[in-house]
């Protein structure tokens, strides 16, 4: 085959391969996608709000450690979501995974401070096992849909560290669930209650890291 014929054959092959290509729609930036997920979490909170005791919530939010713990959960959810979306983009530094550490430390510290108070919040009693079980069920039930939505959104990218990205997604979902629990948690802080909450958060992160990592892994 002559060089001219070979060149013509290659050109036809390239034209046939390129002819069926469809333009790829570029994903929005990680910050925008994180904001979209946070908006979905806020929407879930608004849907649940009619069932909350807003007067009891107002009383509890007047207590500094409870107020700061709620704020820490919100900041952790937002920071972990941003970190998850950032690490889902190939080429982004894995150091983004450190973003939620500071708000998570703030959340843990504020939550633990409640155990050091020597007085009870008005209208709040220590939770018994039945009530604690209800809180655990709430955290798991809310974390599941938030995790599924977040993993689905992350799957549209191409994470090179799927387990890390999925674990960050789990932290974000668990922190958001903890923040949404606040209006439905009329109990004073106890070490047992906080330990169970921490266990649930750890379970959500671990489950996301394993199951979510597999869903995010391509091929």
């Amino acid at each position: 085959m002559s060089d001219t014929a070979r060149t013509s054959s290659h050109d036809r092959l390239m034209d046939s391969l390129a002819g069926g290509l469809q333009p790829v729609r570029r994903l929005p930036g990680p910050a925008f996608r994180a904001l979209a997920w946070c908006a979905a979490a806020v929407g879930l909170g608004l849907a649940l709000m009619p069932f909350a005791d807003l007067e009891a919530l107002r009383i509890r939010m007047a207590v500094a450690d409870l107020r700061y713990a709620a704020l820490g959960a919100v900041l952790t959810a937002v920071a972990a979501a941003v970190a998850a979306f950032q690490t889902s983009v190939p080429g982004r530094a894995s150091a983004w995974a450190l973003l939620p550490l500071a708000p998570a430390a703030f959340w843990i510290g504020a939550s633990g401070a409640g155990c050091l108070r020597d007085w009870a919040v008005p209208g709040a009693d220590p939770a018994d096992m039945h009530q604690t079980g209800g809180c655990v069920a709430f955290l798991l039930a809310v974390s599941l849909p938030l995790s599924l939505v977040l993993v689905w959104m992350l799957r549209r990218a191409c994470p090179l560290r799927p387990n890390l990205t999925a674990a960050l997604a789990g932290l974000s979902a668990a922190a958001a669930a903890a923040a949404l629990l606040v209006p439905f948690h009329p109990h004073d802080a106890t070490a047992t209650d906080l330990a169970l909450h921490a266990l649930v958060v750890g379970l959500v992160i671990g489950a996301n890291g394993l199951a979510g990592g597999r869903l995010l892994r391509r091929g």
Side-chain angles (χ1 to χ4, degrees), residues 180-202:
L180 294 176
L181 173 64
V182 172
F184 305 94
H185 192 263
H187 314 301
D188 209 351
T190 65
T192 302
D193 193 37
L194 293 178
L196 283 174
H197 288 191
L199 177 61
V200 173
V201 171

Side-chain angles (χ1 to χ4, degrees), residues 66-165:
L66 297 179
R67 182 171 65 250
Y68 292 145
L71 176 61
V74 171
L75 293 177
T76 301
V78 173
V82 171
F85 281 107
Q86 289 286 355
T87 58
S88 72
V89 179
R92 297 294 172 93
S94 58
W96 278 103
L98 302 177
L99 184 64
L101 290 186
F106 177 68
W107 176 25
I108 294 170
S111 298
C115 299
L116 302 178
R117 274 189 283 106
D118 57 0
W119 56 276
V121 178
D125 298 312
D128 57 29
M129 289 306 297
H130 175 73
Q131 293 167 327
T132 299
C135 294
V136 169
F138 182 97
L139 289 173
L140 292 174
V142 174
S143 294
L144 178 59
L146 291 177
S147 296
L148 291 175
V149 172
L150 189 47
V151 169
W152 175 78
M153 294 176 69
L154 290 166
R155 187 171 167 78
R156 299 184 63 196
C158 187
L160 300 181
R161 296 171 292 271
N163 294 98
L164 174 63
T165 298

